[in-house]
Amino acid sequence: GEDVEQSLFLSVREGDSSVINCTYTDSSSTYLYWYKQEPGAGLQLLTYIFSNMDMKQDQRLTVLLNKKDKHLSLRIADTQTGDSAIYFCAESINTDKLIFGTGTRLQVFP
Amino acid sequence: DTAVSQTPKYLVTQMGNDKSIKCEQNLGHDTMYWYKQDSKKFLKIMFSYNNKELIINETVPNRFSPKSPDKAHLNLHINSLELGDSAVYFCASSRGGSGYGYTFGSGTRLTVV
């Protein structure tokens, strides 16, 4: 089945690392994505990882994939106030549609 | 230049009316989509078109009818609007095939009163 779950809220202090977690159920996922949505805006693709990879790093972002446990995480190093947004993980399967997670609202306080 | 543009950005209308949302992409992508985001921020695919052909049609009421005059445009027409249709509707496009990700429009906030 298609089900992608995330925790709803995360609050971190500026300068700390943030870790946003995601679990999915469909083992046939080919790519997994992280999107960022700022208030009143559309979705911005942050990064993606192919399902046969364990890790991908892109500047302050690190994606970890545990395919056995169907667990995906996004680590943001040195979190800034501008990182405050809703973060969605998403999986794509063969049908080329994205199944989005429930979204995690990240709040960064000074 | 905006890659995926939707109009209007805001739409307030009464129950029972018919309305359309337009979407255009200038990225040369083959596939376009409509997604619905409800008040709890859940995002769910509604339709996808590849080169003007309907590929995905999720469980969406018949009152919603997408139309793709060419591969750069995908419009969404909604008949007999209901209160529950209030949401943010996002258009997106992709080159097709997993891995390319999507480019999303900035959304149309539809409020039915």
Side-chain angles (χ1 to χ4, degrees), chain B residues 32-46:
Chain B
M32 295 185 72
Y33 312 81
W34 278 108
Y35 277 79
K36 179 180 179 181
Q37 186 175 43
D38 64 21
S39 58
K40 293 183 180 174
K41 303 297 185 185
F42 294 146
L43 271 158
K44 195 166 169 61
I45 191 168
M46 300 172 69

Side-chain angles (χ1 to χ4, degrees), chain B residues 25 27 37-38 41-42 52 57 67 69 91 93 103 112:
Chain B
Q25 54 97 2
L27 297 165
Q37 186 175 43
D38 64 21
K41 303 297 185 185
F42 294 146
K52 303 192 297 175
N57 182 349
K67 287 201 171 40
C91 177
S93 71
T103 301
V112 182

Side-chain angles (χ1 to χ4, degrees), chain A residues 1-3 26-31 33 91-99, chain B residues 97-98:
Chain A
E2 302 167 347
D3 202 9
D26 197 318
S27 57
S28 61
S29 299
T30 48
Y31 286 87
Y33 303 84
E91 60 172 346
S92 64
I93 320 170
N94 297 330
T95 52
D96 187 35
K97 67 178 179 181
L98 285 182
I99 309 299
Chain B
S98 300

Side-chain angles (χ1 to χ4, degrees), chain A residues 5-43:
Chain A
E5 297 285 336
Q6 300 175 238
S7 52
L8 288 180
F9 297 101
L10 177 64
S11 185
V12 300
R13 189 180 298 277
E14 192 174 18
D16 288 351
S17 292
S18 308
V19 179
I20 302 171
N21 294 303
C22 172
T23 57
Y24 59 97
T25 56
D26 197 318
S27 57
S28 61
S29 299
T30 48
Y31 286 87
L32 295 122
Y33 303 84
W34 283 104
Y35 282 85
K36 177 183 180 182
Q37 185 179 29
E38 297 186 37
L43 288 100

Side-chain angles (χ1 to χ4, degrees), chain B residues 45-47 57-65 76:
Chain B
I45 191 168
M46 300 172 69
F47 302 102
N57 182 349
E58 293 292 296
T59 310
V60 178
N62 290 338
R63 299 181 294 104
F64 290 79
S65 53
L76 184 64

